[in-house]
């Protein structure tokens, strides 16, 4: 690309003219070393990998407010004022209680990046209640079908 002007180089490389000029200036200032990756660009992580791992492992723990059966047959919770289910807010609060300064949105990004679910899936078909009677199979046989329109 020797002898080409900036617009031609930008068109050849499919980038902006501003980008081409930036690299040309770096080359003119520092030679081939100016084309090396500078590294360290961008914002540094606020929390360590160990703290990220701890946040992810929190999801696997039982929330402190969830009721459990004692061996004597009574319900109890480790902390009745604590959350019964993990939410982004309660996970962020639990992380902060362990000394990890993190926001709700940051917890969300961490969990999404790791593919971790922080909510229980809810089923409308099953229940632990012994008196629960599931619905019969769908009522499609008794429901009249939509009449077809003729054109």
């Amino acid at each position: 690309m020797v002898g080409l002007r900036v617009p031609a180089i930008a068109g050849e490389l499919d980038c902006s003219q501003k980008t081409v000029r930036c690299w040309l200036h770096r080359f003119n200032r520092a030679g081939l070393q100016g084309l090396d990756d500078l590294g360290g660009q961008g914002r540094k992580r606020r929390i360590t990998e160990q703290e990220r791992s701890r946040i992810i492992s929190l999801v696997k723990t039982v929330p402190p407010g969830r009721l459990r059966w004692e061996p004597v047959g009574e319900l109890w919770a480790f902390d009745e004022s604590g959350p019964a289910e993990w939410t982004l807010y309660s996970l962020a609060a639990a992380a902060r209680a362990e000394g990890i300064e993190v926001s709700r949105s940051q917890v969300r990004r961490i969990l999404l990046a790791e593919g971790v679910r922080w909510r229980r899936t809810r089923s409308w078909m099953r229940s632990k209640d012994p008196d629960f009677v599931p619905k019969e199979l769908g009522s499609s046989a008794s429901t009249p079908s939509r009449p077809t329109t003729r054109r």
Side-chain angles (χ1 to χ4, degrees):
M1 291 189 208
V2 177
L4 293 179
R5 297 197 176 269
V6 171
I9 296 171
E12 186 74 26
L13 297 177
D14 195 28
C15 65
S16 72
Q17 292 181 29
K18 182 178 180 180
T19 301
V20 172
R21 283 190 187 92
C22 174
W23 286 102
L24 283 174
H25 290 303
R26 281 179 62 178
F27 178 77
N28 289 336
R29 269 194 319 269
L32 286 176
Q33 288 180 343
L35 302 179
D36 286 341
D37 184 21
L38 295 178
Q41 301 295 312
R43 185 172 169 179
K44 304 290 185 240
R45 286 193 169 181
R46 291 182 185 176
I47 62 173
T48 65
E49 281 300 317
Q50 184 177 7
E51 290 171 329
R52 287 173 60 89
S53 296
R54 183 64 193 126
I55 290 169
I56 293 166
S57 67
L58 271 174
V59 178
K60 303 285 185 194
T61 63
V62 177
R66 181 174 291 165
L67 293 175
R68 298 174 234 176
W69 287 103
E70 280 188 353
V72 294
E74 293 182 11
L75 282 173
W76 70 281
F78 181 74
D79 178 9
E80 291 182 13
S81 64
E85 295 289 329
W86 285 126
T87 64
L88 293 173
Y89 287 109
S90 61
L91 285 167
R96 284 192 297 273
E98 292 189 14
I100 304 171
E101 285 304 314
V102 66
S103 67
R104 174 202 169 277
S105 59
Q106 193 172 9
V107 169
R108 181 178 182 277
R109 283 191 302 273
I110 290 168
L111 298 180
L112 285 174
E114 294 295 323
V116 176
R117 293 184 56 87
W118 63 91
R119 291 183 224 112
R120 253 188 331 152
T121 49
R122 302 201 185 270
S123 172
W124 299 100
M125 298 292 291
R126 299 183 188 138
S127 173
K128 293 180 182 177
D129 182 1
D131 296 329
F132 176 77
V133 179
K135 291 183 177 181
E136 298 295 325
L137 292 175
S139 61
S140 60
S142 63
T143 305
S145 61
R146 183 178 282 180
T148 56
T149 57
R150 294 187 184 182
R151 292 184 179 184

